[in-house]
Amino acid sequence: MTSGDADVRLVDMTLRDGMHAVDHQFTPEEMADVAAALEAAEMDVAEVSHGDGMGGSSINYGFSAATTEEYLDAVAPELDDTRLSVLMLPGIGTVEEIDMAIDRGADMCRIATHVTEADISEDHFVKVKDRGLEANGLLMLSHMAEPERVLEEAQLMEEYGADAVYVMDSAGAMLPSDVRDRVSLLVDELDIDVGFHAHNNLGLGIGNSLAALEEGAVTIDGCLRGLGAGSGNAQMEVLVGVLDKAGYDVNPDFFGTMDAAEDVLVPMIDDDEMPELDNDSLMLGYAGVYSSFLRHTRRAGEKYGIDPREILVELGEMEVVGGQEDLITDVAARLADEGAAAEAAGDD
């Protein structure tokens, strides 16, 4: 579902996935300012939620500075041509929150599950479609399933009423060949649009997005300045410029998107909140661990005196998924105990 005559629809998630980078502390006023800048830049879609979707503000995922209602009430008046999206993770958010978001101006709802758990999303798709909104399905951590399994799960979402299904590289773990294999299969076999969501933990956010488009994807996610968990998402202003240079017809204005990032977002962000491709986020991509685990892993490593890289490798071998952040502390504590036991044995 591209916008107008554009070849690609761009979904800006600065006010959703970008929330991970700021510990979910954007204020409603800051969100309104960013939304106004995105509207001025003619962005196709802006997504607003806690980083883990509606209902995510909790002790498990981190409390946000305001409620979803307050965020939506601040952002909706700033958007006219730019559509307003919200994120729903079944098991974190509820179908009642879908009603709340729609009543506050949401135009579409994106429903995300782990790549092998699309079957938990049926009620949520039914609710969104019954209310007459566009519903997109997001298959998180798609690197954890072979292309054929990704297709099976995407077909379930299509059956439930999805208007588009996304391959999500939630851990930034995919190589271009991984993206091509999954996106091309979905494009060939589905009767709905295919999208792609990149993280930049291996430095491939833009390259993987281009690979997805070359295989037939028509909707792509990004964030201003690449804000997001881990080393961030595909950087939106770079995406707009690269796609324009590559000959794609896109709606957002290149200069306007650059201005939204430089003049509006950057002054809100502390230096230590700006994503970078450092060793920790590189390890996320290498280990294949969900990007929102990074800050929690750093804190656990400091608390227990464990190298965060060791924790991430262990979590990757366990194939942890979003919603299992509580395991980070368990792994750090176990590694610390094992280290202490080994040291004691050495002393003997």
Side-chain angles (χ1 to χ4, degrees):
M1 285 191 168
T2 55
S3 299
D5 297 324
D7 299 326
V8 184
R9 178 167 71 170
L10 294 175
V11 179
D12 186 276
M13 301 176 304
T14 305
L15 303 179
R16 199 279 297 169
D17 215 340
M19 285 277 271
H20 287 297
V22 298
D23 283 337
H24 315 287
Q25 295 305 298
F26 278 133
T27 66
E29 294 76 19
E30 288 172 330
M31 281 204 172
D33 289 343
V34 172
L38 292 172
E39 170 73 20
E42 302 179 55
M43 186 57 58
D44 295 313
V45 181
E47 187 160 276
V48 174
S49 302
H50 182 279
D52 293 287
M54 295 188 295
S57 182
S58 64
I59 192 169
N60 286 336
Y61 305 109
F63 290 103
S64 54
T67 65
T68 303
E69 292 90 335
E70 290 169 324
Y71 286 135
L72 292 174
D73 286 344
V75 168
E78 304 297 334
L79 302 180
D80 186 9
D81 295 325
T82 297
R83 304 185 71 198
L84 174 57
S85 171
V86 291
L87 179 71
M88 167 63 61
L89 276 68
I92 296 178
T94 66
V95 291
E96 289 77 17
E97 284 167 305
I98 293 174
D99 280 324
M100 175 275 296
I102 294 172
D103 292 342
R104 282 174 161 77
D107 300 301
M108 57 186 285
C109 181
R110 305 205 303 171
I111 301 165
T113 74
H114 181 59
V115 65
T116 60
E117 297 177 357
D119 59 345
I120 69 173
S121 65
E122 183 173 8
D123 290 345
H124 302 78
F125 278 107
V126 169
K127 165 62 76 171
V128 175
K129 299 307 294 183
D130 282 350
R131 290 294 305 267
L133 266 68
E134 178 182 345
N136 290 179
L138 281 62
L139 294 170
M140 299 186 295
L141 294 167
S142 287
H143 75 281
M144 288 188 175
E146 293 300 315
E148 292 74 19
R149 180 61 188 274
V150 177
L151 173 62
E152 291 175 7
E153 300 296 320
Q155 288 172 326
L156 281 180
M157 287 184 164
E158 181 179 29
E159 177 185 329
Y160 299 155
D163 297 292
V165 174
Y166 273 70
V167 172
M168 295 193 78
D169 188 15
S170 314
M174 287 188 184
L175 301 177
S177 58
D178 300 318
V179 176
R180 292 183 184 280
D181 289 345
R182 288 158 177 77
V183 170
S184 62
L185 186 59
L186 267 59
V187 169
D188 288 343
E189 299 295 332
L190 300 180
D191 293 323
I192 56 177
D193 287 343
V194 175
F196 181 69
H197 171 108
H199 279 262
N200 202 44
N201 296 333
L202 294 178
L204 293 169
I206 300 295
N208 280 345
S209 297
L210 284 171
L213 288 170
E214 289 167 0
E215 295 302 326
V218 296
T219 180
I220 300 290
D221 289 354
C223 289
L224 298 175
R225 268 300 191 273
L227 204 65
S231 60
N233 295 83
Q235 191 165 336
M236 181 58 77
E237 63 272 24
V238 177
L239 260 178
V240 173
V242 167
L243 295 183
D244 180 67
K245 191 168 185 176
Y248 288 96
D249 184 9
V250 295
N251 280 319
D253 176 69
F254 181 36
F255 290 177
T257 309
M258 293 172 68
D259 293 344
E262 183 76 16
D263 299 337
V264 180
L265 178 67
V266 169
M268 300 177 183
I269 308 299
D270 294 335
D271 289 343
D272 64 347
E273 294 172 332
M274 194 64 73
E276 61 177 327
L277 215 174
D278 58 11
N279 286 346
D280 287 342
S281 53
L282 173 60
M283 280 303 304
L284 286 171
Y286 180 84
V289 175
Y290 187 48
S291 297
S292 67
F293 278 53
L294 179 57
R295 285 175 174 262
H296 303 292
T297 301
R298 283 173 170 164
R299 292 176 185 136
E302 182 177 351
K303 178 178 179 180
Y304 289 94
I306 298 294
D307 189 329
R309 294 174 293 187
E310 296 182 21
I311 301 173
L312 290 170
V313 169
E314 189 79 6
L315 292 168
E317 292 176 354
M318 294 168 64
E319 295 192 341
V320 294
V321 301
Q324 293 183 312
E325 285 85 351
D326 57 315
L327 293 178
I328 296 171
T329 299
D330 295 341
V331 168
R334 175 168 57 79
L335 290 175
D337 288 343
E338 291 172 356
E343 183 176 348
D347 291 341
D348 292 341

